Every structure is written in C-alpha cells, then in structure tokens.
Amino acid sequence: MNIKKDKNGTYYFVISAGFNSSGKRRQIKRTGFKTQKEAKEQYLHIQNELADEKFVDPSSVTFESFLEKWKKRKRNQIEESTYIRYERLCRLHILPAIGKMKLQKINSLTVQNLIDTLTSEHGFARKSCLLVTTVIKDVFRNAIKEGLVKINPVQDIDLPKASSVEMVIWDQEDID
C-alpha cells in the first residue's frame, strides 16, 4: 500500500490502474484524507472496484451519460407525465447545451449561462427555468452521492424574475 503524508499533514495515495487505449499509464490519485485510516479505506475500495472492473474515473463521466443513469432511476420515482416533461426538457434544451461536457467541468457559470440562454433566446419563463434547474440539481445531487463531484453547481443560480401578466377582462361586446 502506497499511502503517504504530504506537507500539509494530510494523507494521499496513488494507485496504478494499468494502461489506457493509447498505451499511456493510468494512475488514480486521491488526496486530502485527514487520517491514514480514511486513506486506507478509500484505497482498498478503489482497489476492489478495479479488481471487479467497476471503477469509473470521475473525470471521464459526461453529463449526458450520467443523466441517462439518473433518468432510469428517476422513472420509477415520479409520475409518468412528470417523467415525460423532464425527458423533453433534457432532449431539447439541457443536453444540446451541456450534454457533452464532463460532469466535473460544469460549474455555476455554465448553468447560469444555460438559464440566461433559455430565457433570452427561447423565451423561458421563471417556472420553466426552475424546472430545468430542478433536473440539473437532482442529477448533481446523485453525482455527489456517488462521489463523482464534490459540489452542486446549481446552488447559486439566479432565475429570471416572474413576469406579471395583466388580465384582460372581456366586456359584453367582446363576448358577443
């Protein structure tokens, strides 16, 4: 086991994970463990995943691939009409904008730009933008649970203000 202490007093390790398709050596490095025991537990966990070929490198997961996994899980938890609405939003607006991006590269600015674009170019109202952020926030909540990312980039997103529509009341002439 190759667990070492760095100059900050925290522990880290590097695991050799074989070679990638182009023949380059693959290494998995984890840092910031407060105790050697924590580092050892994570080291053994990753070693077991590598042995079982279940290890997923967090830096290689795209939003689109994780979204597909999220949708399969979500389908059994929500009403069919809600699922259809989520599916449509993802297909038409979310995936074209951030689908090919790596999960770890998506930040608050990326999501804010998506919301701003949906508002200005597609005429999305506050409620529609809220639905988009709900989907993205839940996807990242699941990614945090699985250890693929550390923070949810949807936390500090500014939504457009709610538009007030003036009601038009028909008089008898309009009714006729």
Side-chain angles (χ1 to χ4, degrees):
M1 215 170 299
N2 198 8
I3 298 174
K4 296 181 181 175
K5 195 173 195 176
D6 64 15
K7 56 187 167 196
N8 299 329
T10 59
Y11 291 88
Y12 72 96
F13 61 83
V14 179
I15 299 175
S16 179
F19 298 91
N20 67 16
S21 59
S22 62
K24 286 190 174 183
R25 188 171 155 199
R26 266 184 56 206
Q27 290 185 321
I28 301 166
K29 183 176 182 177
R30 295 291 184 267
T31 61
F33 297 101
K34 293 177 182 163
T35 65
Q36 190 172 10
K37 183 180 178 184
E38 284 179 32
K40 184 177 181 179
E41 287 173 0
Q42 186 64 26
Y43 180 92
L44 292 173
H45 177 73
I46 291 175
Q47 283 284 65
N48 289 336
E49 285 186 342
L50 283 170
D52 296 340
E53 297 181 3
K54 292 181 181 177
F55 179 75
V56 176
D57 184 10
S59 64
S60 67
V61 178
T62 64
F63 184 83
E64 183 175 25
S65 65
F66 193 77
L67 179 71
E68 289 306 314
K69 186 176 182 180
W70 175 83
K71 285 192 306 187
K72 287 177 187 172
R73 195 177 300 146
K74 203 70 176 168
R75 185 168 206 142
N76 300 323
Q77 299 171 351
I78 57 177
E79 292 291 326
E80 184 66 22
S81 60
T82 305
Y83 178 81
I84 291 169
R85 193 170 346 140
Y86 283 178
E87 168 65 32
R88 186 169 188 267
L89 264 178
C90 291
R91 183 173 33 85
L92 296 177
H93 302 289
I94 298 173
L95 286 177
I98 62 174
K100 300 296 180 203
M101 292 181 73
K102 305 286 187 204
L103 222 67
Q104 291 186 336
K105 298 288 184 193
I106 297 173
N107 57 27
S108 294
L109 182 61
T110 308
V111 179
Q112 187 66 60
N113 287 340
L114 170 61
I115 296 300
D116 294 345
T117 301
L118 291 174
T119 304
S120 63
E121 294 178 17
H122 298 282
F124 271 41
R126 180 181 179 87
K127 190 172 180 179
S128 299
C129 290
L130 186 60
L131 193 58
V132 169
T133 57
T134 299
V135 169
I136 297 172
K137 185 185 288 186
D138 199 47
V139 169
F140 274 96
R141 189 178 56 77
N142 280 270
I144 289 170
K145 271 191 216 175
E146 292 191 22
L148 297 174
V149 293
K150 292 187 177 165
I151 60 165
N152 194 329
V154 186
Q155 300 300 0
D156 298 319
I157 299 302
D158 296 322
L159 295 174
K161 69 177 186 168
S163 59
S164 57
V165 178
E166 189 176 319
M167 289 187 68
V168 177
I169 301 172
W170 288 9
D171 59 16
Q172 190 59 42
E173 190 177 302
D174 292 331
I175 294 171
D176 293 339

